[in-house]
Amino acid sequence: MLRTLCLALAAIGFTAIPALAQDGPLRIVIEEGVIEPLPFAAPTFIAENPSAAEFADQVTRVVAADLAGTGLFREIPQSAHIARVSNFDAPVSYADWKAINAQALVTGSVALGSDGRLNVKFRLFDVFSGQPMGDGLQFGGGSANWRRIAHKVADQVYARITGEGGYFDSRVVFVSESGPKDQRLKRLAIMDYDGANVQYLTDSSAIVLAPRFSPDGSRVLYTSYETGFPRIKMLDIASVTSQGLADLSGNMTFAPRFSPDGGTVIYSVEQGGNTDLYALALGSNQPVRLTTAPSIETAPSFSPDGSRVVFESDRSGTQQLYVMPVGGGEPTRISFGEGRYGTPVWSPRGDLIAFTKQNAGRFHIGVMRADGSEERLLTASFLDEGPTWAPNGRVIMFTRESAGAGGSAQLYSVDISGRNLRAVPTEGAASDPAWSPLLP
């Protein structure tokens, strides 16, 4: 029987047991504390024709970077490889890979057709058991999409080793910032999850805030100051065209988010100094009021099954988190720690809610259960805010802003244990990230 590497995921922290005896299966048991990344080897994929050579190297590097970037894997440098892979179908010299302590081996080949189509094949091997992990797979597409193909390979490797869905073949929409801190120019931009392939979706003529993907990744909701005060707009990514939503007689509308089925938008409306939550079925002009408290209700987020909404409110006197049924009704407070809580976002797995916390002059990104239990803080800095979840619910991206007149915003990511904090590369300052679902 084929044996796979197993990854047991726990709610808090990490401890690794990367390798058992040679005649037993490899296991990484994640429990608490610190993880020892699993060593893997990714020799440069074979170029099946001369024109594919450059792509073969690029695809290999992206696959390796995706895996190593999770903090769960450590790439063994190619300079340490004993075996040389010269044929995709050649038998694996397991002894040579064991000698350098590789526990997983990724091999592949790349072919570029005369029509410009790129075909990438890969196989994954459990070195210590001396067996392939599942069948080989092939992905194809236009050569301009070579990075997407590489991300798809990495997603498959990640899934086979961890048993979890991947998140590499995804995009992030965010606010690209330029100019001095007190006169920031802002425009919407979209990029691959790792900062590559940046495209701008709006110009900087009006302030834009809080973009949010639709469940299928084809549209983005955001708040625009084009008219001089905040209004919700919806942008179609393919055509880069936008339209206004939720026109409520000149009242300010902001903080929109799609329902899990993409058919409804929930958002905040300010009327006479009071802010409440409303829901609007797309295609309808009849918004439904969900809250009526004399307080500020904002930053709503649906549970993945669409049955509940988490939001922030100051109805208790300070900014806290509440959960209510999707159709409205009496909300239940779920945050009770010291400090203020805001910007809650439900995990796509449904198990956790991420949030921003301000306490004792510091900002934190944290997570808690939907009932408010098991709160834990993942970050701390001068200003961390606005979490968004990776498609697999295991990584959070957020905005970190540095202090001082020359401070600027930058995107960071962290896993749900609070480890593997990493800056996300962007051209210039960036804020308000929103992670897409996996691309089709």
Side-chain angles (χ1 to χ4, degrees):
M1 296 177 58
L2 297 182
R3 292 175 293 180
T4 63
L5 305 178
C6 300
L7 187 63
L9 295 170
I12 303 178
F14 291 145
T15 289
I17 308 173
L20 302 181
Q22 181 172 332
D23 59 352
L26 296 172
R27 292 183 63 84
I28 302 177
V29 181
I30 299 182
E31 293 174 338
E32 54 183 89
V34 179
I35 186 169
E36 177 66 28
L38 183 143
F40 75 96
T44 300
F45 287 11
I46 303 302
E48 296 187 356
N49 48 21
S51 57
E54 181 179 357
F55 290 107
D57 181 67
Q58 292 173 328
V59 167
T60 309
R61 289 302 87 219
V62 169
V63 170
D66 283 347
L67 296 174
T70 66
L72 299 175
F73 304 90
R74 173 178 62 82
E75 184 186 9
I76 296 174
Q78 294 191 6
S79 59
H81 295 183
I82 297 173
R84 292 293 180 260
V85 179
S86 58
N87 187 314
F88 180 70
D89 295 315
V92 173
S93 301
Y94 288 106
D96 289 339
W97 298 108
K98 288 179 184 178
I100 62 171
N101 199 36
Q103 297 179 36
L105 171 66
V106 184
T107 66
S109 70
V110 180
L112 181 63
S114 58
D115 59 354
R117 182 175 177 82
L118 199 68
N119 286 294
V120 177
K121 297 184 287 187
F122 85 95
R123 289 192 177 112
L124 176 64
F125 300 91
D126 178 344
V127 173
F128 277 78
S129 71
Q131 295 285 348
M133 295 178 63
D135 297 328
L137 284 180
Q138 176 173 300
F139 295 101
S143 59
N145 292 321
W146 67 267
R147 289 185 60 87
R148 276 207 65 195
I149 297 172
H151 290 320
K152 285 182 176 294
V153 171
D155 276 333
Q156 285 294 317
V157 173
Y158 179 93
R160 292 185 183 189
I161 293 176
T162 68
E164 298 272 328
Y167 59 91
F168 310 121
D169 187 27
S170 61
R171 295 189 288 183
V172 172
V173 64
F174 64 101
V175 175
S176 175
E177 302 186 5
S178 60
K181 196 169 185 177
D182 59 347
Q183 294 181 337
R184 287 280 168 81
L185 299 178
K186 300 188 176 187
R187 53 180 173 167
L188 290 188
I190 191 170
M191 65 182 181
D192 294 354
Y193 96 99
D194 57 0
N197 292 329
V198 176
Q199 296 175 281
Y200 295 100
L201 303 176
T202 66
D203 60 27
S204 56
S205 59
I207 294 174
V208 290
L209 299 172
R212 301 290 182 257
F213 270 108
S214 63
D216 64 0
S218 67
R219 296 163 294 167
V220 170
L221 290 169
Y222 64 101
T223 302
S224 171
Y225 280 74
E226 186 177 355
T227 62
F229 61 95
R231 296 287 302 278
I232 295 171
K233 302 193 77 173
M234 183 170 66
L235 181 142
D236 179 86
I237 294 175
S239 63
V240 198
T241 57
S242 62
Q243 64 182 87
L245 288 181
D247 185 1
L248 289 179
S249 303
N251 293 301
M252 292 188 290
T253 57
F254 51 95
R257 196 178 292 270
F258 283 100
S259 62
D261 65 4
T264 300
V265 175
I266 190 170
Y267 56 98
S268 292
V269 177
E270 189 277 335
Q271 294 179 328
N274 186 52
T275 302
D276 281 299
L277 298 181
Y278 282 70
L280 176 70
L282 294 178
S284 166
N285 291 320
Q286 299 297 322
V288 177
R289 188 171 182 172
L290 302 179
T291 63
T292 57
S295 50
I296 297 175
E297 275 73 45
T298 190
S301 174
F302 286 92
S303 62
D305 64 4
S307 66
R308 292 176 291 171
V309 173
V310 63
F311 62 98
E312 66 178 72
S313 171
D314 63 355
R315 62 178 60 201
S316 65
T318 60
Q319 187 180 2
Q320 301 293 333
L321 305 185
Y322 293 80
V323 171
M324 71 177 180
V326 69
E330 186 63 26
T332 300
R333 180 173 166 177
I334 63 170
S335 59
F336 291 96
E338 295 183 358
R340 295 185 292 171
Y341 296 76
T343 66
V345 189
W346 223 303
S347 164
R349 299 168 61 93
D351 56 342
L352 296 171
I353 292 171
F355 56 86
T356 301
K357 182 173 183 174
Q358 183 181 8
N359 185 41
R362 301 281 280 175
F363 280 79
H364 310 266
I365 300 298
V367 293
M368 65 172 64
R369 298 291 182 184
D371 61 2
S373 64
E374 300 183 26
E375 175 183 333
R376 60 186 186 274
L377 302 181
L378 311 180
T379 74
S381 83
F382 166 74
L383 180 56
D384 287 351
E385 63 180 351
T388 181
W389 289 94
N392 68 351
R394 290 297 175 188
V395 181
I396 293 171
M397 194 176 293
F398 61 96
T399 304
R400 170 168 288 183
E401 184 154 350
S402 52
S408 64
Q410 186 174 1
L411 305 186
Y412 276 77
S413 67
V414 66
D415 67 28
I416 59 171
S417 72
R419 54 180 304 281
N420 199 36
L421 178 69
R422 299 169 62 89
V424 180
T426 57
E427 296 179 3
S431 63
D432 284 2
W435 218 315
S436 80
L438 283 177
L439 300 177

